[in-house]
Amino acid sequence: MAGPSSDSHRRFLQSLMCNGIIDRSKAVALHRNCCEVHNTHYARDGLDKFIDLINSHLEPLFMQIRKSVSEEDGVQYYALVNMAETDITRMSSDYADNELELFRKTMDLIVDSESGRASSTDILNCADSLNTRKMKKKETELLLTRLKHGEYTLSTRCIMEMEQYIQKIYQDMVKTCAICHNVVFQSQMCDNTSCAIKMHIPCVAKYFKGRSDPQCPVCNEFWPHEIPEIRNTSQVPSEMENTTPTPSTSHSRRRR
């Protein structure tokens, strides 16, 4: 049975809701601040345990504070997400039906791509094949601007909020990173077809740091891809260094 929550827990949750999503360094600072303001016990390495208690009280509400790693730079983030998929939550959107359909088609493109990205040209072409009301080119361009996904990848928060949907709809098409075990889209893949594990680009950089002869962490085959430079090393979760890699169990691709 979960222990009682305190004002420090409630203050942390309210701050997270106001910010939407925060990186780990800000979450650590917020944890400390909340404990100091309300004069409650502060454990330097107790952030995850602190959040676990909050989540135990959010469970009946089908809410959860989730953590995930940015595919862009490997920084760990926290966000409050809705875990329930009901008629009410499906209707709670600011987007029209045809806009949501285009978003789903865009997600199809991203999941089916090798790079985890979708080009604006492909998205514009999808707008001509909607089952709901067709969208004009100008409408599509305005929607792409509104989504604010940069190069049309799935943002960290989008992945966190939609992970259940992604796993349900795409099932064995979606893999998890062999290092951090989070869902992976932008990645490098082992060329060994019997292995074919995927790793986030920041995870690749961290795992192969200082190795002159990079080998796949699962099958030990030579890793043929360019090893990227580590970015924002001060914020990359240290647990990535010692995480045991796991082999992929599926190699299927989406058929058009």
Side-chain angles (χ1 to χ4, degrees):
M1 183 176 178
S5 61
S6 65
D7 287 340
S8 60
H9 294 93
R10 287 184 280 274
R11 187 184 188 90
F12 184 96
L13 179 59
Q14 289 172 346
S15 298
L16 182 58
M17 291 172 65
C18 290
N19 285 277
I21 185 170
I22 57 176
D23 64 40
R24 184 173 178 84
S25 64
K26 291 181 180 179
V28 169
L30 178 60
H31 172 214
R32 181 173 182 173
N33 177 262
C34 291
C35 291
E36 290 177 347
V37 168
H38 294 286
N39 195 28
T40 55
H41 173 69
Y42 168 72
R44 183 181 179 87
D45 299 321
L47 175 61
D48 288 342
K49 188 175 180 180
F50 184 85
I51 289 176
D52 285 343
L53 179 57
I54 298 175
N55 281 337
S56 67
H57 291 277
L58 290 174
E59 187 176 356
L61 304 175
F62 302 102
M63 303 290 288
Q64 184 183 72
I65 297 176
R66 273 192 169 178
K67 63 179 177 181
S68 188
V69 176
S70 166
E71 295 196 308
E72 296 288 342
D73 54 22
V75 174
Q76 194 174 81
Y77 285 88
Y78 293 82
L80 180 67
V81 299
N82 187 350
M83 304 296 292
E85 186 181 354
T86 65
D87 291 338
I88 294 176
T89 58
R90 279 193 289 268
M91 289 188 297
S92 59
S93 172
D94 294 330
Y95 297 99
D97 288 343
N98 59 341
E99 293 175 329
L100 290 173
E101 184 183 358
L102 182 62
F103 177 76
R104 287 191 289 269
K105 287 182 177 292
T106 301
M107 188 175 292
D108 287 346
L109 293 173
I110 292 172
V111 171
D112 199 34
S113 70
E114 295 289 346
S115 63
R117 301 171 184 273
S119 71
S120 57
T121 300
D122 288 339
I123 297 173
L124 288 170
N125 290 336
C126 284
D128 295 329
S129 60
L130 299 180
N131 293 320
T132 51
R133 183 179 66 83
K134 300 293 187 297
M135 295 181 68
K136 297 179 181 179
K137 181 178 178 181
K138 187 64 176 179
E139 288 180 297
T140 308
E141 290 174 344
L142 288 173
L143 176 59
L144 293 178
T145 302
R146 186 181 171 196
L147 288 173
K148 297 179 181 178
H149 280 161
E151 297 179 80
Y152 309 112
T153 63
L154 297 180
S155 68
T156 304
R157 182 169 182 178
C158 179
I159 294 173
M160 295 168 75
E161 291 181 334
M162 300 195 66
E163 184 173 352
Q164 284 185 309
Y165 172 86
I166 291 169
Q167 296 282 16
K168 177 182 177 180
I169 299 300
Y170 300 103
Q171 298 182 11
D172 61 348
M173 292 171 55
V174 175
K175 296 182 179 180
T176 56
C177 174
I179 301 301
C180 71
H181 308 296
N182 287 291
V183 172
V184 57
F185 295 100
Q186 300 176 56
S187 64
Q188 290 183 1
M189 178 187 292
C190 178
D191 279 359
N192 181 355
T193 55
S194 63
C195 176
I197 66 161
K198 281 188 172 184
M199 293 194 288
H200 289 120
I201 304 302
C203 293
V204 170
K206 192 74 173 179
Y207 183 79
F208 289 121
K209 180 184 178 182
R211 299 174 189 237
S212 58
D213 184 25
Q215 296 178 324
C216 173
V218 173
C219 70
N220 294 322
E221 289 286 330
F222 175 71
W223 196 262
H225 308 287
E226 180 181 354
I227 307 302
E229 295 291 330
I230 294 179
R231 299 169 57 190
N232 295 325
T233 54
S234 61
Q235 296 189 67
V236 175
S238 59
E239 56 265 30
M240 286 170 55
E241 297 182 20
N242 302 314
T243 303
T244 303
T246 54
S248 171
T249 57
S250 172
H251 318 298
S252 63
R253 295 271 303 151
R254 183 184 180 91
R255 293 183 179 179
R256 289 292 183 189

